[in-house]
Amino acid sequence: MLWFLLAHLLVQILKINAKVPAIIVFGDSSVDSGNNNEISTVLKSNFQPYGRDFIDSKPTGRFSNGRIPTDFISEAFRIKPTIPAYLDPTYNISDFSTGVCFASAGTGYDNATSDVLSVIPLWKEMEYYKEYQEKLRGFLGNEKANKVIGEALYLVSIGTNDFLENYYVLPRRSSEYNIEEYQNFLAGIAKDFITELHRLGARNICLSGLPPMGCLPLERATNIFSGGDCVQEYNDVAKKFNEKLQGMIMKVNKELAGIRLVFSNPYDILLDIIQNPNKFGKFSAVFSYVVK
């Protein structure tokens, strides 16, 4: 699954057609490389079996048995094999100058989502990025730092938790918005976030959409009245939200000078792997079996 998603993502990234001196990451557990280790939350993955296929079988805080897609992307661009978490005290600005992760598992576009499990909200990820810029200029000097900031590849992967850990679980947002209004609310936050990144110098940005979140193992396991099938309502919401993000991206590319913003949509390929595993070979068949 990882390699199919990685290949798809790289195709989108290569459309940017730019030299990449650094990878800068924002988002949730799909790309968190260990920031949650350093905050007070129950949502951590710094224990076995996480990390069993990582270097030295070490659990790092990545929500994976090994490396995560952003690590492989960094390696594909011949930068470095892993992207360190910004809050990890074993790294410093020398390490971060070629790649850094601000992501926090459990977070979302909506500040209320990060409150659910006391994780880092998206606005705080941005504040850490601003702090990083200051450190980078102190380390490289203004000219070199600005060049890195302008040529770096920014990866943003976030949004599933807003629906599955917030809207559909807690009453606050569902009482304030119907589902389409909430989608528009999140898409507006996404646009504001991209606009702020652009103001701060980012130009090459890849925004990831939502997977078929109704097919995630937890959702299927709790869908007992339908025999453990995918929750179609959640899948429909994910697909519609991706369409809203794509529309937003088209507008932003026209509005913001010099930006190269691309959309990576994992929805169709993941759903195809789940529904038609034999098309993708042995390992995808195993993945589909686990999901089912």
Side-chain angles (χ1 to χ4, degrees):
M1 178 193 71
L2 179 91
W3 286 107
F4 282 117
L5 291 179
L6 178 61
H8 174 75
L9 183 57
L10 282 173
V11 167
Q12 303 306 312
I13 290 169
L14 289 172
K15 292 179 181 178
I16 292 173
N17 194 29
K19 179 183 177 182
V20 178
I23 306 286
I24 298 175
V25 183
F26 300 90
D28 56 24
S29 63
S30 59
V31 290
D32 183 359
S33 59
N35 284 308
N36 276 21
N37 293 351
E38 310 303 325
I39 63 174
S40 180
T41 178
V42 297
L43 191 56
K44 299 178 187 286
S45 58
N46 55 349
F47 52 89
Q48 295 287 350
Y50 294 109
R52 65 185 181 186
D53 298 313
F54 197 77
I55 303 164
D56 297 327
S57 298
K58 178 183 178 182
T60 61
R62 289 167 170 81
F63 284 74
S64 171
N65 60 298
R67 288 188 290 169
I68 52 180
T70 44
D71 294 322
F72 288 104
I73 290 167
S74 177
E75 185 175 53
F77 280 100
R78 300 181 179 179
I79 300 173
K80 54 188 178 184
T82 60
I83 299 179
Y86 183 66
L87 297 184
D88 189 330
T90 64
Y91 296 97
N92 57 40
I93 190 58
S94 176
D95 304 298
F96 299 147
S97 64
T98 53
V100 60
C101 172
F102 301 101
S104 176
T107 200
Y109 288 110
D110 187 353
N111 288 338
T113 301
S114 63
D115 291 340
V116 175
L117 291 168
S118 300
V119 297
I120 303 169
L122 188 59
W123 69 264
K124 186 63 176 180
E125 291 187 26
M126 180 67 79
E127 290 302 306
Y128 284 139
Y129 172 63
K130 293 176 182 177
E131 181 181 87
Y132 162 77
Q133 282 199 349
E134 294 178 5
K135 292 179 180 179
L136 190 67
R137 292 190 172 99
F139 178 65
L140 296 177
N142 285 339
E143 184 176 348
K144 288 184 178 179
N146 289 339
K147 184 176 177 64
V148 170
I149 290 166
E151 295 181 354
L153 173 62
Y154 296 77
L155 303 177
V156 185
S157 178
I158 195 170
T160 302
N161 296 316
D162 290 305
F163 297 99
L164 299 186
E165 304 300 330
N166 184 0
Y167 188 87
Y168 284 111
V169 176
L170 302 175
R172 176 182 170 190
R173 290 309 192 197
S174 58
S175 65
E176 292 176 332
Y177 304 101
N178 64 38
I179 190 61
E180 184 168 8
E181 290 170 341
Y182 190 60
Q183 290 172 324
N184 291 336
F185 171 67
L186 298 180
I189 295 172
K191 181 178 181 181
D192 291 344
F193 184 81
I194 296 299
T195 301
E196 180 67 0
L197 276 181
H198 177 269
R199 186 187 71 81
L200 293 169
R203 292 297 180 268
N204 309 311
I205 306 170
C206 181
L207 178 65
S208 180
L210 300 187
M213 58 189 185
C215 294
L216 295 177
L218 178 60
E219 308 315 315
R220 297 186 70 162
T222 55
N223 190 23
I224 55 177
F225 296 110
S226 296
D229 288 339
C230 295
V231 182
Q232 191 58 47
E233 179 184 356
Y234 294 171
N235 281 357
D236 291 342
V237 167
K239 196 168 186 178
K240 184 66 176 180
F241 184 63
N242 287 346
E243 292 172 1
K244 291 181 181 293
L245 289 180
Q246 287 176 297
M248 178 272 290
I249 286 170
M250 290 179 63
K251 291 180 181 179
V252 168
N253 275 320
K254 293 177 181 178
E255 294 172 357
L256 300 182
I259 196 170
R260 290 175 289 274
L261 176 60
V262 298
F263 182 65
S264 175
N265 187 353
Y267 185 96
D268 290 330
I269 189 170
L270 261 180
L271 190 62
D272 200 17
I273 290 171
I274 293 167
Q275 294 178 340
N276 305 290
N278 291 330
K279 287 172 54 177
F280 299 90
K282 175 181 176 182
F283 293 105
S284 293
V286 171
F287 165 72
S288 180
Y289 175 78
V290 170
V291 171
K292 289 180 179 180

